[in-house]
Every structure is written in structure tokens, then in C-alpha cells.
Amino acid sequence: MSDKIRINLEIGQKHYPLTINREDEEKVRKAAHRVNIRLNAYRSHYTELTMDNIMPMVAYQFSLELLEAETKNDTGPYINKIEELNTLLEDNL
């Protein structure tokens, strides 16, 4: 039995056949659903724009959210502070 399955995703009223890992199906469908929600919101707000103009706006918004999430998960400053405090403790012990 193969770990791959073939699915059809509808994004922005277009169908995209994909072959994915079986365990990724829920995640892939959820991602497509989120894109469609965002597309529909933009379409209802910007009725004069075509799908070709809306799709980059949706991609930009998702990209911006991803960058913001990556920034929130940056542990570098905390690690630096812990190392600094650890050095101070070692110097004083």
C-alpha cells in the first residue's frame, strides 16, 4: 500500500490535482480552505479586482503572517541573556 494519495484541491475556483503523503491530507486541505476563506474575503471587499490581482494580495498577507510568527519564535535574544547571566553567576561563585 502506498503512502501517497492523489487529491483534488479547489483554490479560487480552480482545481489542482496533487499527489501528497497520506498523513498530510488534513493539513493540505486545511491550508487550501484557509486560502479560500482569505480569497473570498478579499473578493467581497475588493469587488472591482480580478482573481489575478487578489491572489498576490492573499499570498502577501500569508507571507507577512509567517514572518511575524517567525519573529515571535526567535529565541536568540533569550539565549544571549541566559548566557550572559550564566557567565555572571560563574564569575561570582
Side-chain angles (χ1 to χ4, degrees):
M1 188 164 157
S2 176
D3 289 37
K4 302 278 187 184
I5 59 170
R6 189 161 170 83
I7 64 171
N8 264 320
L9 288 183
E10 184 179 340
I11 300 175
Q13 298 176 335
K14 290 189 179 185
H15 294 273
Y16 298 93
L18 296 175
T19 301
I20 61 169
N21 290 326
R22 183 176 303 281
E23 64 268 11
D24 293 336
E25 182 181 8
E26 183 180 349
K27 179 175 44 177
V28 169
R29 290 192 185 278
K30 190 174 185 177
H33 180 69
R34 287 182 179 184
V35 170
N36 283 322
I37 288 171
R38 195 73 50 92
L39 281 171
N40 290 334
Y42 272 95
R43 271 195 280 193
S44 66
H45 192 266
Y46 299 104
T47 56
E48 72 282 358
L49 295 180
T50 65
M51 185 63 77
D52 289 340
N53 292 325
I54 292 173
M55 192 63 84
M57 294 167 62
V58 170
Y60 165 77
Q61 189 172 11
F62 277 116
S63 181
L64 183 61
E65 289 172 5
L66 177 62
L67 287 171
E68 289 171 349
E70 288 173 353
T71 301
K72 287 180 183 175
N73 291 330
D74 182 14
T75 58
Y78 301 110
I79 291 171
N80 292 339
K81 190 62 176 178
I82 290 170
E83 288 172 354
E84 179 185 327
L85 292 171
N86 194 31
T87 301
L88 282 171
L89 283 172
E90 287 175 356
D91 289 347
N92 290 309
L93 290 179

